[in-house]
Amino acid sequence: MLSMCSLIPTLSRLVRFVIAALFLAALSWLAAPAWAAGAAAPAAVRTVLVVGDSLSAEYGIARGTGWVPLLGARLAQRYPNYRVVNASISGDTTRGGLARLPALLARDRPAIVVLELGSNDALRGLPLDVTEQNLAAMTQRSTQADARVLIVGMQIPPNYGRDYARRFAQVFPDVARTEHAALVPFLLEGIAADRNLFQADGLHPIAAAQPRLMENVWKVLAPMLERT
């Protein structure tokens, strides 16, 4: 029979083993993510990619006051699993946007692509069929990259010619219908007739007008966020 003295080292090792096991278990519990304890796993952040021109690139106004940053703030408040990437460039055309788009899709892997292009095509008098083809191609490439598309419509003053202005405005709903994309009928809805809401050039809205632009986009974008 073993003596008590001979059992003491064995018991001591057993106690140390039990303490070590409890310590490791506690560390594992503390390190476990919250969702492992029953909470929902954190959702992956999705991207809303805006590909636009000066109307989206904060031309002539302070950084952070344009409609795209305002949209980002709205998303952070109401849909924190979404973020905005603004890939807009002042002066860009649908041709330039189409050339840039593949790299943007590969880089950002957006869930939604907002296309705000075409105004500079009209200002330069480019053929409207080319504008339509470019917008359609951008929509198709975005869809192939598993992104939903929101086309932002624009209009131009009748002094460019009433027929040209009418046909230009029709390009955006035509592409949206053909390519099954969502449509904001007119980005400048609600401010276009108020000269006081535009900069000296008469083309670019001032900072005070940007919330209205954001709301025009938000009305169509919000349902897309729910469905995506």
Side-chain angles (χ1 to χ4, degrees):
M1 180 178 294
L2 296 173
S3 66
M4 183 61 68
C5 290
S6 63
L7 285 174
I8 289 176
T10 301
L11 290 173
S12 177
R13 288 194 297 271
L14 179 61
V15 169
R16 288 197 300 270
F17 175 79
V18 172
I19 291 174
L22 290 174
F23 179 72
L24 290 174
L27 285 178
S28 299
W29 181 82
L30 290 173
W35 52 266
V45 176
R46 295 175 176 178
T47 297
V48 177
L49 175 66
V50 179
V51 184
D53 51 35
S54 56
L55 294 174
S56 301
E58 300 184 295
Y59 177 88
I61 58 177
R63 298 289 80 89
T65 62
W67 75 265
V68 180
L70 294 178
L71 174 62
R74 175 70 62 83
L75 289 175
Q77 181 184 39
R78 302 189 186 182
Y79 295 88
N81 59 318
Y82 281 92
R83 65 166 185 154
V84 168
V85 172
N86 193 357
S88 302
I89 297 178
S90 293
D92 204 8
T93 63
T94 57
R95 180 178 300 170
L98 178 59
R100 295 191 294 121
L101 185 61
L104 294 172
L105 293 174
R107 183 193 71 186
D108 297 308
R109 301 184 181 278
I112 297 174
V113 175
V114 179
L115 299 178
E116 184 278 300
L117 287 169
S119 295
N120 290 311
D121 294 41
L123 293 177
R124 299 179 187 184
L126 300 180
L128 292 180
D129 59 338
V130 174
T131 299
E132 184 169 350
Q133 291 167 11
N134 290 339
L135 281 174
M138 294 179 74
T139 303
Q140 293 164 8
R141 293 191 181 186
S142 298
T143 302
Q144 291 165 3
D146 296 324
R148 302 185 69 188
V149 178
L150 171 57
I151 295 174
V152 178
M154 277 299 298
Q155 298 177 19
I156 57 174
N159 59 301
Y160 284 84
R162 290 190 178 275
D163 181 64
Y164 185 86
R166 178 188 59 78
R167 291 189 295 116
F168 174 77
Q170 191 60 40
V171 165
F172 305 94
D174 283 351
V175 173
R177 181 179 63 255
T178 302
E179 302 300 331
H180 307 288
L183 174 70
V184 174
F186 183 28
L187 178 62
L188 304 183
E189 183 70 37
I191 72 161
D194 190 345
R195 182 65 183 80
N196 294 322
L197 292 177
F198 286 82
Q199 300 175 41
D201 60 12
L203 298 173
H204 297 93
I206 61 175
Q210 299 298 319
R212 179 57 190 264
L213 272 60
M214 189 274 288
E215 294 293 350
N216 289 340
V217 174
W218 182 258
K219 287 187 296 185
V220 184
L221 179 63
M224 297 176 67
L225 299 173
E226 294 288 350
R227 296 194 301 269
T228 303

